[in-house]
Amino acid sequence: MSAMFSKNSSLNVPLRPAFFFISGFSNIPHSNYYYIFLSFVYVVTMLGNLFVMIIIYRGHSLHTPKYMAIFNLAIADVCQSTALIPNLIKTFLFDSQEITYEACLANMFFVFFFSCMQSTTLVILAYDRFVAICFPLRYHAVVTNISMGVLITVTWTFNSAVMSFTVVLINRLSFCKSTVIDSFFCDYGPVYRLACNDYSLNIIMAYLNIAIFIFLPLTLIGLSYICILVALFKITSWEGRLKACKTCFSHLTLVSIFYIPTACTYITAMTVSIHRNAKIINTSLSYSLPPMINPIVYSLNTADIKEFAKKTFRANRLNRIPPALEE
């Protein structure tokens, strides 16, 4: 191995392993029960988000900017969970921790890309609430289907470009040490720390991603809600304030569930040493629970979706009633 590495080094060709080994939850007691829990989370995530997508697609009254963003969030939830959890279930069922080098980079890209899409979509939803409450008379002129489509397209393009560059930086590394990834998926940090050449650029990119997709969105959402709070005090009636608050409470719940555990994990990891098992469990919950909770707390809790779902179920039930019973 060392001779091979020195030969490749002289040619400036990175040394890449055929396989990585994902340690996952192998050192965590009673991990079998945790795999079962994640399987349940995945099923609920798929059912909830697919239901939201079908409702929005079928309901022409829901083809509005706000529900375009909610539809985009549902896509990100489904894809991020699918990139993450089925691989964990495969590890549990087939006791196979191997993943090819190319599959590892693909797994890394899709997990982080769709996680970033969740983050940026929450910012878009905050922007929607900001305009709706602070500039209600101009809302329909500012937030249109076209402007929302452009905003969503820009986030897809920007996120894919940043994540592609981030993952491509792995290709410049040589892996001549261990090939065991100390995480439950092809996590960026645990992968580049296995390299035996300089990975300072990867460290910079990791911190840059944390700033762009965690702390910057949190700052923007916080500023938008400060403006919303000021606007609420200008509303004279308590009914108007309560109605405006209801539209924000579910979104703030999503923001708390998505950002706070992840931000706390990163801050804790940078300041103090935390147990490896605690870090992996907390990180896995931070990635797997928000996609399941999003449709329950936010999407399915909106008045328009609930009303359309009731009308659809009522119409389907009436269509199944035999004509003789109707008479």
Side-chain angles (χ1 to χ4, degrees):
M1 174 71 79
S2 59
M4 181 180 178
F5 173 66
S6 56
K7 181 181 178 181
N8 281 320
S9 295
S10 63
L11 297 174
N12 292 322
V13 177
L15 181 65
R16 301 171 185 170
F19 293 91
F20 283 112
F21 295 87
I22 300 177
S23 61
F25 307 110
S26 56
N27 297 322
I28 298 177
H30 310 294
S31 59
N32 291 351
Y33 298 106
Y34 194 63
Y35 282 115
I36 295 171
F37 168 73
L38 290 178
S39 301
F40 169 78
V41 168
Y42 181 66
V43 171
V44 175
T45 299
M46 296 299 290
L47 291 176
N49 284 288
L50 289 175
F51 179 74
V52 169
M53 292 165 65
I54 291 170
I55 289 293
I56 294 176
Y57 175 77
R58 292 187 58 186
H60 294 288
S61 61
L62 301 177
H63 295 177
T64 61
K66 176 184 175 181
Y67 289 102
M68 287 175 64
I70 292 176
F71 191 90
N72 188 64
L73 181 62
I75 292 176
D77 288 341
V78 166
C79 294
Q80 194 255 6
S81 294
T82 302
L84 183 67
I85 298 181
N87 283 329
L88 293 174
I89 297 173
K90 183 191 74 174
T91 301
F92 168 61
L93 293 177
F94 301 105
D95 194 25
S96 174
Q97 296 174 295
E98 286 187 352
I99 184 170
T100 63
Y101 178 84
E102 293 77 11
C104 183
L105 295 192
N107 176 251
M108 182 187 299
F109 172 82
F110 286 114
V111 170
F112 283 115
F113 170 69
F114 287 111
S115 180
C116 293
M117 284 304 305
Q118 291 171 332
S119 178
T120 51
T121 305
L122 288 176
V123 177
I124 292 173
L125 288 169
Y127 164 73
D128 176 83
R129 291 299 84 205
F130 164 74
V131 178
I133 294 173
C134 297
F135 306 100
L137 298 179
R138 299 182 58 190
Y139 175 78
H140 294 291
V142 175
V143 185
T144 63
N145 284 352
I146 294 175
S147 65
M148 183 60 73
V150 169
L151 199 56
I152 291 172
T153 302
V154 168
T155 59
W156 276 77
T157 305
F158 176 76
N159 291 351
S160 61
V162 173
M163 283 302 110
S164 296
F165 181 71
T166 301
V167 173
V168 164
L169 286 178
I170 295 292
N171 281 322
R172 57 184 287 277
L173 301 178
S174 289
F175 298 92
C176 53
K177 301 177 183 178
S178 172
T179 56
V180 179
I181 301 173
D182 189 21
S183 185
F184 57 97
F185 74 106
C186 284
D187 201 350
Y188 191 65
V191 170
Y192 73 64
R193 279 192 284 269
L194 295 175
C196 49
N197 57 340
D198 180 31
Y199 52 77
S200 56
L201 187 58
N202 299 84
I203 296 176
I204 294 171
M205 201 62 203
Y207 281 110
L208 189 62
N209 282 330
I210 294 171
I212 292 174
F213 296 111
I214 300 295
F215 294 107
L216 178 60
L218 260 178
T219 303
L220 293 175
I221 293 172
L223 290 174
S224 70
Y225 273 100
I226 290 173
C227 296
I228 288 172
L229 192 62
V230 172
L232 287 178
F233 281 113
K234 295 180 181 179
I235 299 175
T236 55
S237 67
W238 280 102
E239 290 181 359
R241 291 181 184 178
L242 185 61
K243 184 179 179 181
C245 286
K246 282 183 178 180
T247 63
C248 298
F249 180 75
S250 298
H251 178 258
L252 281 173
T253 303
L254 295 191
V255 169
S256 301
I257 292 170
F258 182 83
Y259 289 108
I260 292 178
T262 305
C264 289
T265 300
Y266 285 126
I267 292 171
T268 304
M270 289 186 289
T271 54
V272 297
S273 177
I274 58 175
H275 193 274
R276 180 254 184 198
N277 290 354
K279 182 180 178 181
I280 286 184
I281 290 292
N282 185 64
T283 307
S284 63
L285 291 176
S286 300
Y287 277 103
S288 58
L289 287 184
M292 180 187 73
I293 296 172
N294 287 347
I296 298 171
V297 171
Y298 189 75
S299 305
L300 295 176
N301 203 31
T302 56
D304 294 334
I305 286 185
K306 286 196 289 188
E307 186 62 28
F308 182 81
K310 287 178 183 177
K311 288 180 180 178
T312 302
F313 288 137
R314 194 179 301 118
N316 290 338
R317 188 178 63 180
L318 290 175
N319 289 336
R320 286 195 293 266
I321 297 177
L325 292 179
E326 289 184 352
E327 297 175 1

